[in-house]
Amino acid sequence: MGKPETFPECGALLLYFPPMTAMQSPFPGMDPYLERHWLDVHQSLVTYTRDALNDLLPADLLARTEERVLIDADAGLIRAVHPDVRVQETGGGPSVAAAHAGAGIAVAEPIVLELESEPRTEGYITILDHATGDRLVSVIEFLSPTNKLPGEDRDAFRRKRAEMLSGGVNWVEVDLVRQGAWRDLLQPHVAPREVDAAYRATVRRGQQSRRVVLYPMPLKSALPSIPIPLRPADADVDLNLQELLARAYHNGRYANTDYSQPCDPPLQGEDAEWADRLLREAGKR
């Protein structure tokens, strides 16, 4: 932050903030090093998208952030817990356990399975028609790995998407994480095999629920502006993904990223070679 200026007539203090270009990613589009910080980046993108849309939407539409609760129930997050104390309820006669013990029958020792992870929330954006009692018009999702990895979270996500589309709600997905099977999430639609960009966005219109428009986003290219569909009589609004990402990078101080190490997940093949050259030319390696 630069030197503050004081206005004597009102005693106000004006703070100078450097331009956002002061902290730019060396990558022209999505920075793969941000994927390891996805919880923070995701929340920033959701908030900035809400703000950007509210500057673009018609006066009777409004964008809001919403949350869903997730539980990461991967096999590695489940642990066995042996009970330290056993409490038995006694009635008029001997307990079942005591009866079994007296008869020389071994009593099974229970093992309780508990999740080590805590439930977490994941944000998304809704566009509401305020003039009709906040009727839901569109949903914008920034995908996380849980949306693309096999399991209940992905199944629930696909069910919710189908419900929204069947009700005429527009559905937009922005996929800036490489982990997970994006083609499986795309089902029942099938993308051509030659479409293999690192990132992508899809737009589904509630009035054309059988149609998906896919926007491939290669690692080497700047992120595009994508159309956000509204009501049938409204023109689409354009959401500039690159501006949103640049803001998240700057405000999150990701210029401090150690680019000398591989990103997580690591890049492969031609993308890895290209990224190595890019980072060396930028003096990051």
Side-chain angles (χ1 to χ4, degrees):
M1 188 169 66
K3 182 180 178 180
E5 297 182 17
T6 303
F7 292 84
E9 61 274 14
C10 61
L13 187 67
L14 176 65
L15 299 181
Y16 169 77
F17 291 91
M20 195 170 295
T21 54
M23 291 188 181
Q24 279 188 321
S25 167
F27 289 86
M30 174 59 185
D31 187 328
Y33 283 79
L34 296 182
E35 294 182 54
R36 72 166 66 229
H37 308 289
W38 186 242
L39 289 179
D40 178 60
V41 175
H42 182 277
Q43 184 59 45
S44 296
L45 290 174
V46 168
T47 301
Y48 301 155
T49 298
R50 187 272 317 273
D51 296 345
L53 288 174
N54 279 330
D55 286 338
L56 298 171
L57 293 173
D60 55 347
L61 294 182
L62 52 89
R64 291 286 184 263
T65 58
E66 305 288 347
E67 289 184 339
R68 69 172 64 87
V69 178
L70 300 176
I71 297 178
D72 294 325
D74 297 333
L77 296 178
I78 297 178
R79 60 189 177 95
V81 180
H82 297 266
D84 295 322
V85 180
R86 297 170 181 81
V87 179
Q88 296 176 338
E89 180 180 1
T90 59
S95 68
V96 174
H100 285 175
I105 301 174
V107 178
E109 294 288 341
I111 296 177
V112 180
L113 301 179
E114 291 187 357
L115 286 172
E116 289 184 336
S117 62
E118 292 293 329
R120 64 180 179 85
T121 59
E122 186 173 77
Y124 58 98
I125 305 101
T126 58
I127 296 177
L128 308 172
D129 187 342
H130 186 62
T132 59
D134 289 346
R135 181 180 64 86
L136 183 59
V137 174
S138 302
V139 173
I140 300 100
E141 293 269 4
F142 285 89
L143 298 183
S144 292
T146 52
N147 302 133
K148 297 193 294 176
L149 295 171
E152 176 55 30
D153 283 336
R154 187 179 72 180
D155 295 342
F157 184 85
R158 292 177 63 182
R159 287 194 299 269
K160 177 58 68 175
R161 181 177 66 191
E163 290 174 9
M164 293 293 103
L165 290 170
S166 66
V169 176
N170 307 305
W171 188 276
V172 178
E173 295 173 9
V174 181
D175 186 3
L176 298 178
V177 290
R178 289 168 292 124
Q179 188 178 3
W182 69 271
R183 291 181 181 274
D184 290 349
L185 185 61
L186 192 64
Q187 292 178 0
H189 296 84
V190 179
R193 299 309 306 175
E194 61 269 21
V195 177
D196 199 23
Y199 309 106
R200 64 211 54 84
T202 56
V203 176
R204 295 170 168 85
R205 298 175 186 268
Q207 304 301 319
Q208 303 171 350
S209 59
R210 295 178 60 83
R211 182 182 183 188
V212 177
V213 180
L214 174 65
Y215 296 86
M217 299 188 293
L219 179 67
K220 301 177 185 178
S221 302
L223 298 180
S225 293
I226 59 171
I228 304 298
L230 306 175
R231 297 164 298 195
D234 295 321
D236 296 345
V237 295
D238 289 334
L239 185 65
N240 190 320
L241 296 178
Q242 192 61 53
E243 286 186 0
L244 297 175
L245 186 71
R247 186 176 178 186
Y249 187 93
H250 179 272
N251 290 350
R253 296 190 175 185
Y254 287 110
N256 296 321
T257 297
D258 181 4
Y259 288 102
S260 67
Q261 302 299 320
C263 57
D264 181 21
L267 295 168
Q268 304 293 333
E270 182 182 337
D271 280 347
E273 296 174 2
W274 173 83
D276 182 63
R277 291 195 302 270
L278 178 76
L279 292 172
R280 290 184 186 281
E281 291 171 0
K284 300 294 185 179
R285 285 187 174 175

